[in-house]
């Protein structure tokens, strides 16, 4: 049997690595001191649970059961201003289910905490590398927003790293995660069984204009990189209108102006352009609009334009057998208080789906808040998620 108190205590301990001191928030980006310390603690907890801890070259941490096993897990790195449960919940729940499975004499469960799911460098970098979506030699030159290269960051864990784990030792993958949206919380439901996960495209775009004096440069003579960004943002919203659906989303979340001074006309604007949708064709259509609009605006305004590497993942559908096990568990633990729903957030399961059958389940996020220090979930919903995961693992393992 799973032990909710031990599970909640481990969750609280993990929160202490990179605790932000605001709400229950954490600051535990991939390969940060807090992240590496947390992974070392997780490795020790895995060993205590009778699993063999194993780091791979991408910084992913596995807790390996003997022989073939079901893989449960998520990620333990966080966004720059992260919630305490995003990823951490799935890793700690996996550890608790692995302990219970071992105590019950099987079926065997292994555990994983993927690295850089929060995409400080690539897009869900650690599981993308492990699954072959992103070759390590293509990941190494990727930089974070401050210019640190992935190769340098992963070098901080090189002494711990062994080979990549053979995916063939796992029969499937199930990930417990917070919903990170408003659906379950608004409906007063406790469990979400995921049907599919959206696809994503993410790229950096740079407009290069003319840095100049903010007082003496007449407006009609300016080649202002921020004005180009503003025009781009308005234009894509207009041009997406007859392409997107209410489920389509796009975000300009990171902007660097150069030189970023109030009395200087910005000479350069580099920004992240990210869009998500459940349909690959629509993602491609949105890309055409992004590129064409940026080119038009650069041309009209006499600015330079460059596109960074386009990173992306396709939409994936969850495995029917694993999903059915989750539905059985959900009906047992939260009868009438669960639903099937798509995931608008990206998860490591998207990459693992290239290697084996995958499925996901959600617990509610209070107020639908995530990627924010205020992210939280009621303890009894966290425990309900743990119990559904344990039941599903047992059904699948005995299948
Ligand atoms: O952005 C995402 O969907 C994920 O939480 N990293
Ligand atoms: Mn996550
Ligand atoms: Mn996240
Ligand atoms: Mn995620």
């Amino acid at each position: 049997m799973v032990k909710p108190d031990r599970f909640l205590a481990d969750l609280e301990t993990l929160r202490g690595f990179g605790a932000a001191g605001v709400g229950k928030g954490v600051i535990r980006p991939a390969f940060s001191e807090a992240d590496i310390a947390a992974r070392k603690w997780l490795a020790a907890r895995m060993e205590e649970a009778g699993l063999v801890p194993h780091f791979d070259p991408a910084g992913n941490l596995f807790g390996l059961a003997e022989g073939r096993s079901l893989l449960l897990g998520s990620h333990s790195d966080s966004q720059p201003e992260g919630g305490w449960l995003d990823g951490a919940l799935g890793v700690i729940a996996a550890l608790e289910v692995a302990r219970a499975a071992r105590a019950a004499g099987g079926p065997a469960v292994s555990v994983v905490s993927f690295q850089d799911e929060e995409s400080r460098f690539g897009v869900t970098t650690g599981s993308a590398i492990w699954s072959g979506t992103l070759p390590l030699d293509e990941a190494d030159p990727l930089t974070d927003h401050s210019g640190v290269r992935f190769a340098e960051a992963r070098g901080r864990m090189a002494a711990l790293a062994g080979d990549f784990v053979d995916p063939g030792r796992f029969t499937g993958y199930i990930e417990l995660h917070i919903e990170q949206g408003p659906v379950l919380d608004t409906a007063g439901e406790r469990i979400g069984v995921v049907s599919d996960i959206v696809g994503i495209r993410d790229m950096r775009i740079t407009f290069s204009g003319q840095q100049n004096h903010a007082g003496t440069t007449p407006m009609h003579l300016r080649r202002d990189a921020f004005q180009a960004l503003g025009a781009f943002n308005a234009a894509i919203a207009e041009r997406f209108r007859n392409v997107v659906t209410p489920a389509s989303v796009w975000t300009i979340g990171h902007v660097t102006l150069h030189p970023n001074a109030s009395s200087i006309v910005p000479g350069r604007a580099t920004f992240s352009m990210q869009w998500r949708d459940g349909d690959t064709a629509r993602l491609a259509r949105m890309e055409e609009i992004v590129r064409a609009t940026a080119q038009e605006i650069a041309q009209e305004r006499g600015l330079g334009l460059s596109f960074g590497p386009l990173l992306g993942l396709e939409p994936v559908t969850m495995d029917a057998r694993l999903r059915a096990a989750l539905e059985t568990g959900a009906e047992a633990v939260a009868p009438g208080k669960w639903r099937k729903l798509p995931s608008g957030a990206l998860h490591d399961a998207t990459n693992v789906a290239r290697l084996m059958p995958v499925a996901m389940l959600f617990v509610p996020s209070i107020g639908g808040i995530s990627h924010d220090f205020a992210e939280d979930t009621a303890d009894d919903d966290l425990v309900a998620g743990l119990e559904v995961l344990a039941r599903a693992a047992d059904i699948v393992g005995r299948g």
Side-chain angles (χ1 to χ4, degrees), residues 200-285:
I200 189 173
R201 298 290 182 269
D202 198 301
M203 67 193 308
R204 288 181 201 164
I205 301 176
T206 298
F207 285 117
S208 307
Q210 170 71 53
Q211 178 175 327
N212 214 328
H213 194 292
T216 58
T217 312
M219 294 310 281
H220 71 285
L221 294 180
R222 292 185 180 199
R223 290 192 293 124
D224 181 330
F226 179 75
Q227 293 295 333
L229 167 52
F232 169 82
N233 182 50
I236 56 164
E238 191 47 44
R239 296 180 185 185
F240 278 171
R241 207 186 291 279
N242 55 12
V243 169
V244 297
T245 73
S248 314
V249 291
W250 60 95
T251 312
I252 297 177
H254 190 278
V255 177
T256 308
L257 289 180
H258 181 84
N260 215 21
S262 51
S263 293
I264 302 179
V265 176
R268 199 170 55 246
T270 297
F271 58 99
S272 60
M273 177 62 204
Q274 182 192 94
W275 58 104
R276 307 185 196 202
D277 194 275
D279 178 89
T280 296
R282 190 173 294 116
L283 287 168
R285 184 75 193 93

